[in-house]
Amino acid sequence: MRKQIIVGNWKMFKTNSQAIEFIKSVDSKVKADENIIAGIAVPSIMLSDVQKVAKNIVISAQNCYFEQEGAFTGEISVPMLQDLGIKYAVIGHSERRDIFGETDEMINNKAKALLAASITPILCCGESLKTYEDGTTIDWVKSQITKGFEGISADDAKKVVIAYEPIWAIGTGKVATPEIAQNVCKEIRDIIKNIYNQNVADEILIQYGGSVKPENIKDILDQTDIDGALVGGASLIEDSYLGLVNYKG
Ligand code: PGA
């Protein structure tokens, strides 16, 4: 039985004090147990303070750079995350790819750097509306996954969380139907099986992301190959965040 992992992605929202207040208010109300991981990916400036107040909520970075240190103005390194005790980092979000020009190679390097430091990469993939309409979603995602996992061992691959986020469903209110999401997540599991083996495919966690809300999370997480959600907008409001992570009641 795979665990479930539901992670809020705050993107560039909230100030440090608002973030601390939010975590203090919701943390004790999160019913996380050994079968469900509840997380929030916060802007890097808040990681340190928020990490100190979160007990039930797992704090994630939204990005990192792959070099250990150096002249990379504005970036944060894996050792910096390690020093704060951060255990998860989102990499390759479509906004990072599209707005900041991140390539599959950079994302692959980030995954390797994180795994070497025992931090779980939440590696995002997903197609644009045009790719979806052209019917080439699977080819697109296969290329992202193949390049993203290049040079990663089977043992390490199992530790990665894949987030499938169709770009046309992010922040648009247009959620992929549970059937569409399940179909692509199943294909992703098959891609992983072909790169590695059945065991890695059975163990790896695959999230869906894109307009997930308390109202639709159950239908999405009921799908066989969907093990969690990466949630933007609906994770910013306390009641709504609790509605997501405590969806089982
Ligand atoms: P959304 O964002 O839930 O607001 O659609 C999801 C994401 O970008 O991770």
Side-chain angles (χ1 to χ4, degrees):
M1 243 271 291
R2 289 186 295 267
K3 287 183 186 192
Q4 288 189 327
I5 175 163
I6 301 167
V7 178
N9 172 16
W10 279 359
K11 309 191 179 189
M12 199 175 73
F13 288 100
K14 297 194 190 293
T15 62
N16 195 45
S17 22
Q18 287 168 343
I20 295 168
E21 202 182 314
F22 183 110
I23 303 287
K24 277 189 177 162
S25 162
V26 302
D27 191 74
S28 62
K29 299 175 194 147
V30 169
K31 295 178 198 152
D33 60 30
E34 64 274 12
N35 295 318
I36 185 154
I37 300 161
I40 301 184
V42 303
S44 55
I45 199 167
M46 302 163 196
L47 284 167
S48 175
D49 282 352
V50 162
Q51 173 77 342
K52 287 183 194 127
V53 290
K55 302 265 178 302
N56 296 313
I57 297 172
V58 172
I59 300 301
S60 170
Q62 295 182 3
N63 184 27
C64 67
Y65 197 54
F66 52 83
E67 296 286 0
Q68 295 295 294
E69 60 179 8
F72 304 104
T73 303
E75 293 297 306
I76 59 165
S77 71
V78 171
M80 291 174 194
L81 296 179
Q82 232 178 344
D83 183 54
L84 298 183
I86 300 296
K87 295 276 178 257
Y88 289 82
V90 176
I91 53 170
H93 190 278
S94 58
E95 287 146 22
R96 299 291 324 163
R97 293 177 189 258
D98 293 348
I99 305 171
F100 301 100
E102 292 195 9
T103 63
D104 286 314
E105 190 188 357
M106 288 165 76
I107 294 153
N108 174 245
N109 284 330
K110 291 178 186 206
K112 287 182 193 157
L114 288 164
L115 288 163
S118 301
I119 298 176
T120 302
I122 300 177
L123 195 159
C124 303
C125 63
E127 81 287 3
S128 66
L129 183 60
K130 180 168 187 319
T131 303
Y132 173 67
E133 287 176 347
D134 286 350
T136 52
T137 296
I138 304 306
D139 289 345
W140 177 265
V141 167
K142 185 177 180 184
S143 164
Q144 288 184 321
I145 295 290
T146 307
K147 292 174 185 162
F149 279 79
E150 203 170 301
I152 294 176
S153 70
D155 270 356
D156 273 348
K158 282 183 206 172
K159 299 171 194 157
V160 176
V161 175
I162 297 174
Y164 167 60
E165 300 202 303
I167 298 167
W168 50 269
I170 296 178
T172 57
K174 221 191 225 184
V175 62
T177 62
E179 292 72 28
I180 295 174
Q182 159 60 21
N183 181 41
V184 182
C185 290
K186 185 188 178 308
E187 294 281 354
I188 291 172
R189 212 174 283 289
D190 281 348
I191 293 164
I192 291 293
K193 186 179 94 182
N194 291 334
I195 300 174
Y196 297 100
N197 53 49
Q198 187 69 53
N199 173 252
V200 178
D202 286 343
E203 285 193 25
I204 200 163
L205 299 183
I206 305 177
Q207 296 175 313
Y208 166 79
S211 299
V212 178
K213 301 184 255 326
E215 299 77 48
N216 60 22
I217 191 163
K218 186 178 181 304
D219 285 347
I220 292 164
L221 295 198
D222 273 351
Q223 305 299 313
T224 324
D225 288 288
I226 305 181
D227 310 309
L230 186 59
V231 190
S235 73
L236 289 164
I237 299 156
E238 292 181 15
D239 283 350
S240 169
Y241 178 77
L242 287 168
L244 292 163
V245 296
N246 295 341
Y247 82 95
K248 283 188 174 163

